[in-house]
Amino acid sequence: MKSRLIEKVKISVEKSRPAAGGGFRLTGSEVMVNLPYTPRQYYSHGWQSWSLTTWVDTSPSLPTMQPSILHPMQTDPLYVHETRPNGSWVAAVNIPESNDVLLLGALDLDAHVFLDGKTLRGSYESGKGEWLLLCGPEEKVFARYARHLASRFGRGRVKDPQRVWCSWYSLYTHISENRLERVLEDLGDLPFDVFQIDDGWQQAIGDWEPNRKFTSGMDTLAARIVATGRTPGLWLAPLLVVPSSRLYREHRNWLLSDDKGRPVSAGFNWAEPLYALDTTHPEALKWLADLLKKVRNWGYDYLKLDFLYAGALPGIRYNGMPREAAYRHGLESMRKAMGEAYFLACGAPVVPSLGLCDGMRIGPDVAEVWDNPRDSRQLANFTTPGVQNAIRTCLHRLWLKPLLHTDPDVVYFRTKMNALGIVEKRLLQELALVCGFKASSDLPAWLNDDETAALKAFLESDPKIKRNGRYAFRIDDRPVDFSPAIPLPDITLTDRLRGGLLGFLANRRPVLWALFRSGVRSQGRKISKEL
Ligand code: 9PG
């Protein structure tokens, strides 16, 4: 079966030719690969950084993730109700009686893949494009797909990733210039290359000027960071707009809209509905370029651009471009405006960002917990913050490593303000070593001497990584097995019923608003108590 499979599949497509090195290169807006068997396992690739990416059993399917108000910010909203196994750009299925897989991967944008019984179907949303069809050992076929993507879209430009201290996973939005300056001092000689200010400095999502907690100005803070020998980093969500912003009031016509002219939902966060900029609107494009030039002029040479999926949501655009092409168009002009800055893409549609960013978050947010059963069991949502969700998705995206720096999010060494067990923290640290990207938000003041020493050793380490299986690695001389993080829960009927009710409630804006507000308040109280 193994070696002859590729001859046994029947391909329906406009054009097909052998690909260099084996397999086929196909052209068409729809390709059908008819398999001589029903696959049991399907590799489902999520649309953007946070979206679930994993091997799934082909039956039964998972319930639809909830609440639906968050669909645009967690998955590709166009396919969220699809019950067949499906995913963005690329799919793989098992080959019976072998360890090999068959891969169908798009080489152009706006592509989705489905499994329909024995038929793997690839489809371009707009016009035709190219596909790669490969059979062989999993690591090899994904590596070949990555090489084809690199020659089509390019790779990141930066050789080695930097070690990042990021303010989010300790202080969240409760940052101020005073607090950050204290952290900067406390970091002492811990070998972090970048000091990255996350969410909380801006006036509003859309109004990217410092708020009342940053009265000295962002340029002054950048200069203070430089004075400690570190690169200043800044978080922005440049493609998002919230109703409370000036940007929303003054430039409603820059928003991505639906066919009735209403702004398209990009989700809900910060106790507000989210909307998206139309990256094909010439004035919005110019505003974006000016924004990035402005933050570069303030002195920030490391930019974490977040919630980027907003630019690729379905909607009506100024120039009618297909959505991922429109996003890439916007990203190209942002990249240009950023000059030589390091660009970390987050919440980013994966393939359309290739070649334009230097690093990419390849999984959902971590958190001080392993799993949140309300989200994973009742809401069937595997994109919410938690270490298990982060490990699962990141491990299934390691094939992206030759294309950019793969950021699995921060690791924890602290015991304070942390519900993770020692084994769980360790597994997350090992993931960071496998991904080759090191970041932490631990406040030095929250670490005891042993934890500080362990963090320092982690930042200084340069281990040899060997992959021995899908989830098995050797890191220097330690065997590391990530399989405990992989299984998806069995969702019972009771879970589904509870989830239905929870999802219904969570879709009400006042409920979400109240949840968000009380969450931020209690977070703030806890942090203040610990500082
Ligand atoms: C700042 C944070 C951090 C973090 C980012 C991003 O689906 N969600 O509701 C959702 C909300 C926030 C989020 C991810 C997902 O976090 O990944 O590192 O920068 O924004 O607000």
Side-chain angles (χ1 to χ4, degrees), residues 50 73-74 168-169 198-199 235 304 306-307 361 365:
W50 306 323
M73 64 196 285
Q74 298 181 328
W168 184 249
Y169 302 88
D198 214 279
D199 184 5
W235 172 95
K304 173 178 174 184
D306 203 354
F307 292 80
R361 258 285 282 293
D365 286 20

Side-chain angles (χ1 to χ4, degrees), residues 240-259:
L240 278 189
V241 187
V242 294
S244 67
S245 67
R246 231 177 327 113
L247 183 67
Y248 179 87
R249 288 195 298 279
E250 292 173 6
H251 298 290
R252 287 286 290 273
N253 59 325
W254 294 358
L255 299 186
L256 181 66
S257 60
D258 65 13
D259 51 6

Side-chain angles (χ1 to χ4, degrees), residues 15 48 81 86 96 101 103 107 150 154 197 234 286 296 304 334-335 345 355 388 410 422 444 455 487 489 509:
K15 215 167 82 189
Q48 50 113 328
H81 296 293
N86 73 98
V101 304
L103 175 148
L107 297 175
I197 304 168
L234 194 63
K286 171 156 190 321
R296 284 306 310 284
K304 173 178 174 184
M334 285 155 67
R335 168 80 264 182
Q388 184 179 14
V410 304
I422 210 158
L455 169 59
R509 279 191 192 166

Side-chain angles (χ1 to χ4, degrees), residues 108 119 133 164 187 213 222 263 310 318 350 371 394 426 480 484 529:
D108 289 287
T119 303
L133 180 66
V164 182
L187 282 175
K213 299 181 295 171
Y318 183 86
V350 176
D371 172 46
C394 288
R426 174 53 81 90
V480 177
K529 223 175 80 198

